[in-house]
CSV table of all heavy atoms in Angstrom, one decimal:
chain,number,residue,atom,x,y,z
A,13,THR,N,3.2,19.7,-7.0
A,13,THR,CA,2.6,19.6,-5.7
A,13,THR,C,2.7,18.1,-5.2
A,13,THR,O,2.7,17.2,-6.1
A,13,THR,CB,1.1,20.0,-5.7
A,13,THR,OG1,0.3,19.1,-6.4
A,13,THR,CG2,1.0,21.4,-6.2
A,14,GLY,N,2.8,17.9,-3.9
A,14,GLY,CA,3.0,16.5,-3.4
A,14,GLY,C,4.4,16.1,-3.9
A,14,GLY,O,4.6,14.9,-4.1
A,15,GLY,N,5.3,17.0,-4.0
A,15,GLY,CA,6.6,16.7,-4.7
A,15,GLY,C,7.7,16.2,-3.7
A,15,GLY,O,8.8,15.9,-4.1
A,16,ALA,N,7.3,16.0,-2.4
A,16,ALA,CA,8.3,15.6,-1.5
A,16,ALA,C,8.5,14.1,-1.4
A,16,ALA,O,9.4,13.6,-0.7
A,16,ALA,CB,8.0,16.2,-0.1
A,17,ALA,N,7.6,13.3,-2.0
A,17,ALA,CA,7.7,11.9,-1.8
A,17,ALA,C,7.1,11.2,-3.1
A,17,ALA,O,6.4,11.9,-3.9
A,17,ALA,CB,6.9,11.4,-0.6
A,18,GLY,N,7.3,9.9,-3.2
A,18,GLY,CA,6.6,9.1,-4.2
A,18,GLY,C,6.7,9.6,-5.6
A,18,GLY,O,7.8,10.0,-6.1
A,19,ILE,N,5.5,9.6,-6.3
A,19,ILE,CA,5.5,10.0,-7.7
A,19,ILE,C,5.9,11.5,-7.9
A,19,ILE,O,6.6,11.8,-8.8
A,19,ILE,CB,4.0,9.8,-8.2
A,19,ILE,CG1,3.7,8.3,-8.2
A,19,ILE,CG2,3.9,10.4,-9.6
A,19,ILE,CD1,2.2,8.0,-8.5
A,20,GLY,N,5.5,12.3,-7.0
A,20,GLY,CA,5.8,13.8,-7.1
A,20,GLY,C,7.3,14.0,-7.0
A,20,GLY,O,7.9,14.8,-7.8
A,21,LEU,N,8.0,13.3,-6.1
A,21,LEU,CA,9.5,13.4,-6.1
A,21,LEU,C,10.1,12.9,-7.3
A,21,LEU,O,11.1,13.5,-7.8
A,21,LEU,CB,10.0,12.6,-4.8
A,21,LEU,CG,11.5,12.7,-4.6
A,21,LEU,CD1,12.0,14.1,-4.4
A,21,LEU,CD2,11.8,11.9,-3.3
A,37,ALA,N,6.4,21.6,-3.8
A,37,ALA,CA,5.4,22.1,-2.9
A,37,ALA,C,4.7,21.0,-2.2
A,37,ALA,O,4.2,20.1,-2.9
A,37,ALA,CB,4.4,23.0,-3.7
A,38,ASP,N,4.7,21.0,-0.9
A,38,ASP,CA,4.2,19.8,-0.2
A,38,ASP,C,3.7,20.2,1.2
A,38,ASP,O,4.1,21.2,1.8
A,38,ASP,CB,5.3,18.7,0.0
A,38,ASP,CG,4.7,17.3,0.2
A,38,ASP,OD1,4.2,17.0,1.3
A,38,ASP,OD2,4.7,16.5,-0.8
A,39,LEU,N,2.7,19.4,1.7
A,39,LEU,CA,2.2,19.6,3.0
A,39,LEU,C,3.3,19.4,4.0
A,39,LEU,O,3.3,20.1,5.1
A,39,LEU,CB,1.1,18.6,3.3
A,39,LEU,CG,0.2,18.8,4.5
A,39,LEU,CD1,-0.6,20.1,4.5
A,39,LEU,CD2,-0.8,17.6,4.6
A,40,ASP,N,4.2,18.5,3.7
A,40,ASP,CA,5.4,18.3,4.6
A,40,ASP,C,6.5,19.2,4.1
A,40,ASP,O,7.3,18.9,3.2
A,40,ASP,CB,5.8,16.8,4.4
A,40,ASP,CG,6.9,16.4,5.4
A,40,ASP,OD1,7.6,17.4,5.9
A,40,ASP,OD2,7.1,15.2,5.6
A,43,ALA,N,10.2,18.1,4.4
A,43,ALA,CA,10.6,17.1,3.4
A,43,ALA,C,10.7,17.8,2.0
A,43,ALA,O,11.6,17.5,1.2
A,43,ALA,CB,9.6,16.0,3.3
A,60,ILE,N,2.7,23.9,1.3
A,60,ILE,CA,1.4,24.1,0.7
A,60,ILE,C,0.4,23.1,1.2
A,60,ILE,O,0.8,22.0,1.5
A,60,ILE,CB,1.5,24.0,-0.9
A,60,ILE,CG1,0.2,24.6,-1.6
A,60,ILE,CG2,1.6,22.5,-1.3
A,60,ILE,CD1,0.3,24.7,-3.1
A,61,ASP,N,-0.8,23.6,1.4
A,61,ASP,CA,-1.9,22.6,1.6
A,61,ASP,C,-2.9,22.9,0.5
A,61,ASP,O,-3.6,23.9,0.4
A,61,ASP,CB,-2.6,22.9,3.0
A,61,ASP,CG,-3.7,21.9,3.3
A,61,ASP,OD1,-4.2,21.2,2.3
A,61,ASP,OD2,-4.1,21.7,4.4
A,62,VAL,N,-3.0,21.9,-0.5
A,62,VAL,CA,-3.7,22.2,-1.7
A,62,VAL,C,-5.2,22.3,-1.5
A,62,VAL,O,-6.0,22.7,-2.3
A,62,VAL,CB,-3.4,21.1,-2.8
A,62,VAL,CG1,-2.0,21.1,-3.2
A,62,VAL,CG2,-3.9,19.7,-2.3
A,63,ARG,N,-5.7,22.0,-0.2
A,63,ARG,CA,-7.1,22.1,0.1
A,63,ARG,C,-7.5,23.5,0.4
A,63,ARG,O,-8.7,23.9,0.4
A,63,ARG,CB,-7.4,21.3,1.4
A,63,ARG,CG,-7.2,19.8,1.2
A,63,ARG,CD,-7.3,19.1,2.5
A,63,ARG,NE,-6.1,19.4,3.4
A,63,ARG,CZ,-5.9,18.8,4.6
A,63,ARG,NH1,-6.8,18.0,5.1
A,63,ARG,NH2,-4.8,19.1,5.2
A,87,ALA,N,0.3,18.9,-10.9
A,87,ALA,CA,-0.6,18.9,-9.7
A,87,ALA,C,-0.8,17.4,-9.4
A,87,ALA,O,-1.6,16.7,-9.9
A,87,ALA,CB,-2.0,19.6,-10.0
A,88,ASN,N,0.0,17.0,-8.4
A,88,ASN,CA,0.1,15.6,-8.1
A,88,ASN,C,-0.3,15.2,-6.7
A,88,ASN,O,-0.5,14.0,-6.4
A,88,ASN,CB,1.6,15.2,-8.4
A,88,ASN,CG,2.0,13.9,-7.8
A,88,ASN,OD1,1.8,12.8,-8.3
A,88,ASN,ND2,2.6,14.0,-6.6
A,89,ALA,N,-0.4,16.2,-5.8
A,89,ALA,CA,-0.7,15.8,-4.4
A,89,ALA,C,-2.0,15.0,-4.3
A,89,ALA,O,-3.0,15.3,-5.0
A,89,ALA,CB,-0.8,17.1,-3.5
A,90,GLY,N,-2.0,14.0,-3.5
A,90,GLY,CA,-3.2,13.2,-3.3
A,90,GLY,C,-3.1,12.3,-2.1
A,90,GLY,O,-2.0,12.1,-1.6
A,91,VAL,N,-4.3,11.8,-1.7
A,91,VAL,CA,-4.4,10.9,-0.5
A,91,VAL,C,-5.3,9.8,-0.9
A,91,VAL,O,-6.1,9.9,-1.8
A,91,VAL,CB,-4.9,11.7,0.7
A,91,VAL,CG1,-3.9,12.7,1.2
A,91,VAL,CG2,-6.2,12.3,0.5
A,92,SER,N,-5.2,8.7,-0.1
A,92,SER,CA,-6.2,7.6,-0.3
A,92,SER,C,-6.4,7.0,1.1
A,92,SER,O,-5.7,7.1,2.0
A,92,SER,CB,-5.7,6.6,-1.3
A,92,SER,OG,-4.7,5.8,-0.7
A,107,PHE,N,-12.2,14.3,3.1
A,107,PHE,CA,-10.8,14.4,3.1
A,107,PHE,C,-10.3,14.0,1.7
A,107,PHE,O,-9.5,14.8,1.1
A,107,PHE,CB,-10.2,13.4,4.1
A,107,PHE,CG,-8.7,13.4,4.2
A,107,PHE,CD1,-8.0,14.6,4.4
A,107,PHE,CD2,-7.9,12.3,4.1
A,107,PHE,CE1,-6.6,14.6,4.4
A,107,PHE,CE2,-6.5,12.3,4.2
A,107,PHE,CZ,-5.9,13.5,4.3
A,111,VAL,N,-8.6,17.0,-0.9
A,111,VAL,CA,-7.2,17.0,-1.3
A,111,VAL,C,-7.2,16.7,-2.8
A,111,VAL,O,-6.6,17.4,-3.6
A,111,VAL,CB,-6.3,15.9,-0.6
A,111,VAL,CG1,-4.9,15.9,-1.1
A,111,VAL,CG2,-6.3,16.2,0.9
A,112,ASN,N,-7.9,15.6,-3.2
A,112,ASN,CA,-7.7,15.1,-4.6
A,112,ASN,C,-8.5,15.9,-5.7
A,112,ASN,O,-8.0,16.1,-6.8
A,112,ASN,CB,-8.2,13.6,-4.7
A,112,ASN,CG,-7.4,12.7,-3.8
A,112,ASN,OD1,-6.3,13.1,-3.3
A,112,ASN,ND2,-7.8,11.5,-3.6
A,139,THR,N,-2.3,14.5,-11.7
A,139,THR,CA,-2.2,13.1,-11.5
A,139,THR,C,-3.6,12.6,-11.1
A,139,THR,O,-4.1,13.0,-10.0
A,139,THR,CB,-1.2,12.8,-10.3
A,139,THR,OG1,0.1,13.3,-10.7
A,139,THR,CG2,-1.0,11.3,-10.2
A,140,ALA,N,-4.2,11.8,-11.9
A,140,ALA,CA,-5.5,11.2,-11.6
A,140,ALA,C,-5.1,9.8,-11.2
A,140,ALA,O,-4.3,9.6,-10.3
A,140,ALA,CB,-6.4,11.2,-12.8
A,141,SER,N,-5.8,8.8,-11.8
A,141,SER,CA,-5.5,7.4,-11.4
A,141,SER,C,-6.3,6.5,-12.3
A,141,SER,O,-7.3,6.9,-12.9
A,141,SER,CB,-6.0,7.1,-9.9
A,141,SER,OG,-5.9,5.8,-9.6
A,142,LEU,N,-5.9,5.2,-12.4
A,142,LEU,CA,-6.8,4.2,-13.1
A,142,LEU,C,-8.1,4.2,-12.4
A,142,LEU,O,-9.1,3.9,-13.0
A,142,LEU,CB,-6.1,2.9,-13.1
A,142,LEU,CG,-6.7,1.8,-14.1
A,142,LEU,CD1,-6.7,2.3,-15.5
A,142,LEU,CD2,-5.9,0.5,-14.0
A,143,ALA,N,-8.1,4.5,-11.1
A,143,ALA,CA,-9.3,4.5,-10.3
A,143,ALA,C,-10.2,5.7,-10.7
A,143,ALA,O,-11.3,5.9,-10.2
A,143,ALA,CB,-9.0,4.5,-8.8
A,154,TYR,N,-12.3,7.6,-3.1
A,154,TYR,CA,-11.1,7.9,-3.8
A,154,TYR,C,-11.4,7.9,-5.3
A,154,TYR,O,-11.0,8.9,-6.1
A,154,TYR,CB,-10.0,6.9,-3.5
A,154,TYR,CG,-8.7,7.1,-4.3
A,154,TYR,CD1,-7.7,8.0,-3.8
A,154,TYR,CD2,-8.4,6.3,-5.4
A,154,TYR,CE1,-6.5,8.1,-4.5
A,154,TYR,CE2,-7.2,6.4,-6.1
A,154,TYR,CZ,-6.2,7.3,-5.6
A,154,TYR,OH,-5.1,7.5,-6.3
A,158,LYS,N,-11.1,10.9,-8.1
A,158,LYS,CA,-10.2,10.9,-9.3
A,158,LYS,C,-11.0,11.0,-10.6
A,158,LYS,O,-10.5,11.5,-11.6
A,158,LYS,CB,-9.4,9.6,-9.3
A,158,LYS,CG,-8.4,9.6,-8.1
A,158,LYS,CD,-7.3,10.7,-8.3
A,158,LYS,CE,-6.2,10.5,-7.3
A,158,LYS,NZ,-5.1,11.6,-7.5
A,182,VAL,N,-2.5,12.1,-16.0
A,182,VAL,CA,-2.0,10.7,-16.1
A,182,VAL,C,-2.8,9.9,-15.1
A,182,VAL,O,-3.2,10.3,-14.1
A,182,VAL,CB,-0.5,10.6,-15.7
A,182,VAL,CG1,0.4,11.2,-16.9
A,182,VAL,CG2,-0.1,11.3,-14.4
A,183,CYS,N,-3.0,8.6,-15.6
A,183,CYS,CA,-3.7,7.7,-14.7
A,183,CYS,C,-2.8,6.5,-14.4
A,183,CYS,O,-2.8,5.5,-15.2
A,183,CYS,CB,-4.9,7.2,-15.5
A,183,CYS,SG,-6.1,8.5,-15.8
A,184,PRO,N,-2.1,6.6,-13.3
A,184,PRO,CA,-1.2,5.4,-12.9
A,184,PRO,C,-2.0,4.2,-12.4
A,184,PRO,O,-3.2,4.3,-12.1
A,184,PRO,CB,-0.3,6.0,-11.8
A,184,PRO,CG,-0.5,7.5,-11.9
A,184,PRO,CD,-1.9,7.7,-12.4
A,185,GLY,N,-1.3,3.1,-12.4
A,185,GLY,CA,-1.9,1.8,-11.9
A,185,GLY,C,-1.4,1.5,-10.5
A,185,GLY,O,-1.8,2.2,-9.5
A,186,PHE,N,-0.6,0.5,-10.3
A,186,PHE,CA,-0.1,0.0,-9.0
A,186,PHE,C,1.3,0.5,-8.8
A,186,PHE,O,2.2,-0.2,-9.1
A,186,PHE,CB,-0.2,-1.5,-8.9
A,186,PHE,CG,-1.6,-2.0,-9.1
A,186,PHE,CD1,-1.9,-2.8,-10.2
A,186,PHE,CD2,-2.6,-1.8,-8.2
A,186,PHE,CE1,-3.2,-3.4,-10.4
A,186,PHE,CE2,-3.9,-2.3,-8.3
A,186,PHE,CZ,-4.2,-3.1,-9.4
A,187,VAL,N,1.5,1.7,-8.2
A,187,VAL,CA,2.8,2.3,-8.2
A,187,VAL,C,3.4,2.1,-6.8
A,187,VAL,O,2.8,2.4,-5.8
A,187,VAL,CB,2.7,3.8,-8.5
A,187,VAL,CG1,4.1,4.4,-8.7
A,187,VAL,CG2,1.8,4.1,-9.7
A,188,ARG,N,4.7,1.7,-6.8
A,188,ARG,CA,5.4,1.4,-5.5
A,188,ARG,C,5.8,2.7,-4.8
A,188,ARG,O,6.8,3.3,-5.1
A,188,ARG,CB,6.6,0.6,-5.9
A,188,ARG,CG,7.0,-0.4,-4.8
A,188,ARG,CD,7.8,-1.5,-5.5
A,188,ARG,NE,9.0,-1.1,-6.1
A,188,ARG,CZ,10.2,-0.9,-5.6
A,188,ARG,NH1,10.4,-1.2,-4.3
A,188,ARG,NH2,11.2,-0.5,-6.3
A,189,THR,N,4.9,3.2,-3.9
A,189,THR,CA,5.1,4.4,-3.1
A,189,THR,C,4.6,4.1,-1.7
A,189,THR,O,4.0,3.1,-1.4
A,189,THR,CB,4.3,5.6,-3.7
A,189,THR,OG1,2.9,5.3,-3.5
A,189,THR,CG2,4.6,5.8,-5.1
A,190,GLY,N,4.8,5.2,-0.8
A,190,GLY,CA,4.2,5.1,0.5
A,190,GLY,C,2.7,4.9,0.5
A,190,GLY,O,2.1,4.1,1.3
A,191,MET,N,2.0,5.6,-0.4
A,191,MET,CA,0.6,5.4,-0.5
A,191,MET,C,0.2,3.9,-0.8
A,191,MET,O,-0.7,3.4,-0.2
A,191,MET,CB,0.0,6.3,-1.7
A,191,MET,CG,-1.5,6.1,-1.9
A,191,MET,SD,-2.2,7.1,-3.2
A,191,MET,CE,-2.3,8.7,-2.5
A,192,GLN,N,1.0,3.3,-1.7
A,192,GLN,CA,0.7,1.9,-2.0
A,192,GLN,C,1.0,1.0,-0.8
A,192,GLN,O,0.2,0.1,-0.5
A,192,GLN,CB,1.5,1.4,-3.2
A,192,GLN,CG,1.1,0.0,-3.6
A,192,GLN,CD,2.0,-0.6,-4.7
A,192,GLN,OE1,3.2,-0.9,-4.4
A,192,GLN,NE2,1.5,-0.7,-5.8
A,194,ARG,N,0.6,1.7,2.3
A,194,ARG,CA,-0.6,1.8,3.2
A,194,ARG,C,-1.8,1.0,2.6
A,194,ARG,O,-2.5,0.3,3.4
A,194,ARG,CB,-0.9,3.3,3.4
A,194,ARG,CG,0.2,4.0,4.2
A,194,ARG,CD,-0.2,5.4,4.5
A,194,ARG,NE,-0.3,6.3,3.4
A,194,ARG,CZ,0.7,7.0,2.8
A,194,ARG,NH1,2.0,6.8,3.3
A,194,ARG,NH2,0.6,7.8,1.8
A,195,GLU,N,-2.0,1.1,1.3
A,195,GLU,CA,-3.1,0.4,0.7
A,195,GLU,C,-3.0,-1.1,0.8
A,195,GLU,O,-4.0,-1.8,1.0
A,195,GLU,CB,-3.3,0.9,-0.8
A,195,GLU,CG,-3.8,2.3,-0.9
A,195,GLU,CD,-4.1,2.7,-2.3
A,195,GLU,OE1,-3.8,2.0,-3.3
A,195,GLU,OE2,-4.5,3.9,-2.5
A,224,GLU,N,4.5,-1.0,-10.8
A,224,GLU,CA,4.9,0.3,-11.5
A,224,GLU,C,5.8,1.1,-10.6
A,224,GLU,O,5.6,1.0,-9.3
A,224,GLU,CB,3.6,1.1,-11.8
A,224,GLU,CG,3.8,2.3,-12.5
A,224,GLU,CD,2.5,2.9,-13.1
A,224,GLU,OE1,1.5,2.2,-13.0
A,224,GLU,OE2,2.5,4.0,-13.5
A,226,PRO,N,7.6,4.9,-9.5
A,226,PRO,CA,7.3,6.3,-9.7
A,226,PRO,C,7.9,6.9,-10.9
A,226,PRO,O,7.3,7.8,-11.5
A,226,PRO,CB,7.9,6.9,-8.4
A,226,PRO,CG,7.9,5.8,-7.4
A,226,PRO,CD,8.1,4.5,-8.2
A,229,VAL,N,5.7,6.8,-14.1
A,229,VAL,CA,4.8,7.9,-14.2
A,229,VAL,C,5.5,9.2,-14.6
A,229,VAL,O,5.0,10.0,-15.4
A,229,VAL,CB,4.0,8.1,-12.9
A,229,VAL,CG1,2.9,9.1,-13.0
A,229,VAL,CG2,3.4,6.7,-12.4
B,1,NAD,P1,2.6,9.4,-1.4
B,1,NAD,O1,1.7,9.3,-0.3
B,1,NAD,O2,3.8,8.6,-1.6
B,1,NAD,O3,3.0,11.0,-1.7
B,1,NAD,C1,2.0,12.0,-1.7
B,1,NAD,C2,2.6,13.3,-1.3
B,1,NAD,O4,1.5,14.3,-1.3
B,1,NAD,C3,3.2,13.4,0.1
B,1,NAD,O5,4.5,14.0,0.0
B,1,NAD,C4,2.2,14.2,0.9
B,1,NAD,O6,2.9,14.9,2.0
B,1,NAD,C5,1.7,15.1,-0.1
B,1,NAD,N1,0.3,15.6,0.3
B,1,NAD,C6,-0.7,15.0,0.9
B,1,NAD,N2,-1.7,15.8,1.1
B,1,NAD,C7,-1.3,17.0,0.7
B,1,NAD,C8,-1.9,18.3,0.7
B,1,NAD,N3,-3.1,18.5,1.3
B,1,NAD,N4,-1.2,19.4,0.2
B,1,NAD,C9,0.0,19.2,-0.4
B,1,NAD,N5,0.6,18.0,-0.4
B,1,NAD,C10,0.0,16.9,0.1
B,1,NAD,O7,1.6,9.2,-2.7
B,1,NAD,P2,1.9,8.8,-4.2
B,1,NAD,O8,1.7,7.3,-4.4
B,1,NAD,O9,3.2,9.3,-4.7
B,1,NAD,O10,0.7,9.5,-5.0
B,1,NAD,C11,0.9,10.7,-5.7
B,1,NAD,C12,-0.3,10.9,-6.6
B,1,NAD,O11,-0.5,9.7,-7.5
B,1,NAD,C13,-1.6,11.0,-5.8
B,1,NAD,O12,-2.5,11.9,-6.5
B,1,NAD,C14,-2.2,9.6,-5.9
B,1,NAD,O13,-3.6,9.6,-5.8
B,1,NAD,C15,-1.8,9.2,-7.3
B,1,NAD,N6,-1.8,7.8,-7.6
B,1,NAD,C16,-1.0,6.9,-6.9
B,1,NAD,C17,-1.0,5.6,-7.2
B,1,NAD,C18,-0.2,4.5,-6.5
B,1,NAD,O14,-0.3,3.3,-6.7
B,1,NAD,N7,0.7,4.9,-5.6
B,1,NAD,C19,-1.8,5.1,-8.3
B,1,NAD,C20,-2.6,6.0,-9.0
B,1,NAD,C21,-2.6,7.3,-8.7
Side-chain angles (χ1 to χ4, degrees):
T13 71
I19 294 169
L21 182 57
D38 203 286
L39 193 61
D40 187 341
I60 195 171
D61 185 340
V62 298
R63 295 169 290 185
N88 163 84
V91 292
S92 74
F107 183 53
V111 180
N112 299 347
T139 305
S141 172
L142 194 56
Y154 178 81
K158 293 297 187 178
V182 286
C183 296
F186 301 113
V187 192
R188 214 155 56 90
T189 66
M191 177 183 284
Q192 184 185 73
R194 294 186 289 277
E195 288 183 358
E224 185 167 347
V229 187

